Amino acid sequence: MSSDPRGPEETLPAVRLDRPITETVTPRPALSRLPAYSAGRPPTPAEGLTPYKLSSNENPLGPVPAAARAVADVDTLHRYPNPTAESLRAALAEHLEVPAEDLVAGTGSLGALTQILDAFAGIGEDGEPDEVVYAWRSFEAYPIVVRTAGARDVMVPVTADGRHDLPAMLAAITDRTRVVMLCTPNNPTGPALTHSEVATFVAAVPRDVVVVIDEAYQEYVRGEDRLDALALYRRHPNVAVLRTFSKAHGLAALRVGYSLAQQELSRHLRAVAPPFAVSTVAEAAAVASLRSTDEVAARVQSLVDERERVRAALLGDGWNVPEAQGNFLWLPLGDRAGDFAHAAGVQALAVRAFDGDGVRVSIGEPEANDRLIALCRNLPELRRAS
């Protein structure tokens, strides 16, 4: 043992730095530009009323029984999951009729999107940030993940009826653009893009720009000329499709989703994908749910029916409700969004207010939806604001 009375730190040479030394550890500069993500809040209890959470676009019907059983049957919690979710990718490959190598699993569709940004957008070789183009208002997490990657977000305002302005998005593409994101149906405003307009858009985007088609709510879309994102993925090597088991499959707590892209993209996504991202429990539930598509479809249809019922009632009462193709409705209330959220809270309904823009209301249990309709009928002054 050393007899040196000095502590070990005194025997080490001094560290020489070519930068000023500060008194505290500082984060990356990008963190100062990150908006805070505001998750949907739970409802506030009210006497005599059952509280309902309509603020997070969750599936109120939950997972199909087979998925719940699969969760209960997992007995390997002491073992690491499969690093690349091979069972899930194999099941998806069979279900979608695509190569398993084109599928990369992630923690929800947001985790899959993060992998795309990690691979293709950040700080360029010249030290300047790449650009990512997307519509706004759209999914609240987009500016967070784009800026965390070090890229610059280019927000293109949605139209008055909440739709993507695709000509304006094309015009926003520059030589610094690395990724363009389409959210369809758009969260939180509701409208979905048609296949014709997306096909035209993708064909006009430069081949070296990744086009991300975020389809978190695609199971809820109805109407003519529905987007066939898989056809575009098969035709265009720069297209990546995002999907999730959180919404239609009712597995939000398990955080499992995936991206689908040709090898030109997917090989890079596999390189940045963290191992063990999808838990054994999540993978088992997702595979079981995927094998119960008829039951999942029936549950989705019941929510679509409720969505149409509620929207028709609100339109009939004079409310402005844009086209709704997800499992939610959008009320463009502008500065009165907070007033509506407060009024809903008094009725034990939690909704999602976006200050200055509007309120998103998830489709919930029939009793919750009935209470929402009644609430709106009692708020004529806010109806006019919409």
Side-chain angles (χ1 to χ4, degrees):
M1 297 181 60
S2 173
S3 59
D4 193 333
R6 296 173 298 175
E9 70 281 356
E10 298 180 68
T11 65
L12 298 175
V15 177
R16 301 180 62 87
L17 300 175
D18 293 326
R19 59 176 173 80
I21 298 176
T22 61
E23 295 297 323
T24 60
V25 177
T26 56
R28 292 170 49 212
L31 268 65
S32 65
R33 301 189 297 117
L34 297 186
Y37 182 84
S38 299
R41 296 180 180 179
T44 301
E47 186 175 355
L49 294 174
T50 301
Y52 291 103
K53 185 183 179 187
L54 306 180
S55 56
S56 295
N57 291 352
E58 296 157 337
N59 185 334
L61 304 178
V64 296
R69 288 194 299 269
V71 169
D73 289 344
V74 172
D75 61 359
T76 56
L77 296 182
H78 58 302
R79 304 296 185 190
Y80 283 106
N82 185 289
T84 60
E86 288 182 8
S87 296
L88 174 59
R89 290 170 52 238
L92 283 167
E94 179 181 357
H95 179 70
L96 300 174
E97 298 181 347
V98 300
E101 292 77 15
D102 290 359
L103 294 154
V104 182
T107 52
S109 55
L110 182 58
L113 173 60
T114 300
Q115 294 166 10
I116 292 173
L117 296 174
D118 286 345
F120 297 107
I123 301 297
E125 292 184 357
D126 59 359
E128 294 297 316
D130 298 324
E131 292 179 350
V132 178
V133 176
Y134 56 91
W136 194 256
R137 179 170 287 275
S138 193
F139 183 28
E140 190 177 8
Y142 285 167
I144 298 174
V145 293
V146 169
R147 297 174 196 179
T148 298
R152 177 187 296 119
D153 44 7
V154 179
M155 298 178 175
V156 178
V158 297
T159 61
D161 56 354
R163 299 182 58 81
H164 283 46
D165 188 340
L166 293 180
M169 293 181 70
L170 276 176
I173 295 175
T174 70
D175 58 359
R176 298 211 66 90
T177 305
R178 301 293 293 128
V179 177
V180 176
M181 302 192 298
L182 305 178
C183 183
T184 179
N186 188 48
N187 172 23
T189 61
L193 295 165
T194 67
H195 184 81
S196 298
E197 59 187 349
V198 177
T200 301
F201 178 85
V202 172
V205 173
R207 285 284 301 274
D208 62 348
V209 174
V210 179
V211 179
V212 176
I213 303 176
D214 186 345
E215 289 196 300
Y217 302 91
Q218 59 93 17
E219 294 92 343
Y220 296 95
V221 178
R222 300 294 182 269
E224 299 180 357
D225 198 20
R226 291 173 60 182
L227 174 62
D228 184 352
L230 270 63
L232 297 179
Y233 131 79
R234 291 187 174 100
R235 183 175 180 180
H236 298 280
N238 62 325
V239 166
V241 180
L242 301 181
R243 291 184 176 175
T244 183
F245 286 84
S246 295
K247 308 302 181 183
H249 292 265
L251 298 175
L254 296 184
R255 311 304 302 125
V256 54
Y258 60 94
S259 64
L260 174 62
Q262 293 185 33
Q263 285 289 295
E264 188 171 323
L265 299 186
S266 65
R267 62 190 177 93
H268 300 297
L269 303 183
R270 288 195 298 274
V272 299
F276 315 120
V278 176
S279 72
T280 302
V281 174
E283 185 174 19
V287 170
S289 191
L290 200 62
R291 292 171 177 165
S292 305
T293 52
D294 288 346
E295 292 179 75
V296 172
R299 288 166 179 245
V300 167
Q301 186 58 48
S302 71
L303 292 172
V304 169
D305 293 342
E306 276 293 282
R307 178 189 76 198
E308 296 305 304
R309 180 180 75 88
V310 176
R311 182 169 184 258
L314 298 188
L315 289 173
D317 288 338
W319 285 79
N320 175 17
V321 186
E323 175 196 0
Q325 293 289 348
N327 65 341
F328 54 88
L329 302 176
W330 174 248
L331 304 177
L333 289 166
D335 293 336
R336 303 300 302 274
D339 295 336
F340 184 93
H342 174 75
V346 172
Q347 294 297 314
L349 297 175
V351 298
R352 181 69 175 86
F354 296 85
D355 292 340
D357 286 325
V359 175
R360 188 192 67 197
V361 185
S362 307
I363 296 300
E365 296 84 346
E367 180 183 344
N369 302 329
D370 289 343
R371 194 182 304 165
L372 173 70
I373 293 171
L375 169 69
C376 289
R377 284 177 178 160
N378 290 326
L379 296 172
E381 71 282 3
L382 293 185
R383 179 188 65 217
R384 289 189 290 271
S386 73

